[in-house]
Amino acid sequence: MEPADWQQVQGIYQEGIDTGNATFEASAPDWEHFDRSRLPGHRHVAASADGTVVGWAAVSPVSARPVYAGVVEHSVYVASSARGLGIGEALLQALIESTENEGIWTIQASVFPENEASLKLHLSTGFTIVGRRQRIARMTHGPLKGQWRDTLLIERRSPGI
């Protein structure tokens, strides 16, 4: 992912946010915030033949403590026009490869239980459901504004690290 990709990445991010089942975030951040909060070596985009970005994946550290240096939280988003084409799987595989190559042993995320497509994708690429966090936070936007939501904590542990 390059800064020049940001406008398209941000659009895909916002499209996911607008579904109400991708994140608690109310809006996609600006590039500066995104750039500061995501590890540079693990930002991936998928593009169509004409160069249009159709999906992205990135990771953030879960803690500044050195003992957690091998644990990251990830996001993966695919444009609605490109869903069901294997883009999410390709992005997750690229993310798994880049993180393992740098000694990262755990990729984790929180997924809304209602996001069945995301759960299916993650389970098919080696992630497991670790647990359910009940009423972990309230929605601040959209049709579910004010509602408490559960999330499923998922993770993929590297078999080689």
Side-chain angles (χ1 to χ4, degrees), residues 109-132:
S110 292
V111 177
F112 291 124
E114 298 83 2
N115 194 340
E116 294 174 6
S118 182
L119 286 171
K120 181 179 176 184
L121 167 66
H122 284 90
L123 294 175
S124 74
T125 53
F127 284 77
T128 59
I129 297 171
V130 177
R132 185 180 195 108

Side-chain angles (χ1 to χ4, degrees), residues 13 22-23 34 37-39 42-44 56-62 71-77 88-89 91-96 98-99 104 106-111 118-119 121-123 125-128 152-156:
Y13 197 177
T23 180
F34 185 91
S37 63
R38 302 321 192 275
L39 297 175
H42 312 291
R43 303 173 188 176
H44 304 279
W56 64 273
V59 301
S60 301
V62 298
V71 183
V72 294
E73 182 173 9
H74 83 289
S75 299
V76 59
Y77 285 76
E89 182 178 356
L91 287 164
L92 280 178
Q93 292 300 338
L95 199 61
I96 290 166
S98 71
T99 55
I104 293 172
T106 300
I107 305 171
Q108 68 180 36
S110 292
V111 177
S118 182
L119 286 171
L121 167 66
H122 284 90
L123 294 175
T125 53
F127 284 77
T128 59
L152 298 175
L153 179 59
I154 61 171
E155 72 176 19
R156 180 189 181 278

Side-chain angles (χ1 to χ4, degrees), residues 10-20 77-81 83:
Q10 186 182 39
I12 293 167
Y13 197 177
Q14 189 63 49
E15 182 183 43
I17 290 169
D18 292 344
T19 68
Y77 285 76
V78 177
S80 61
S81 62
R83 292 186 188 137

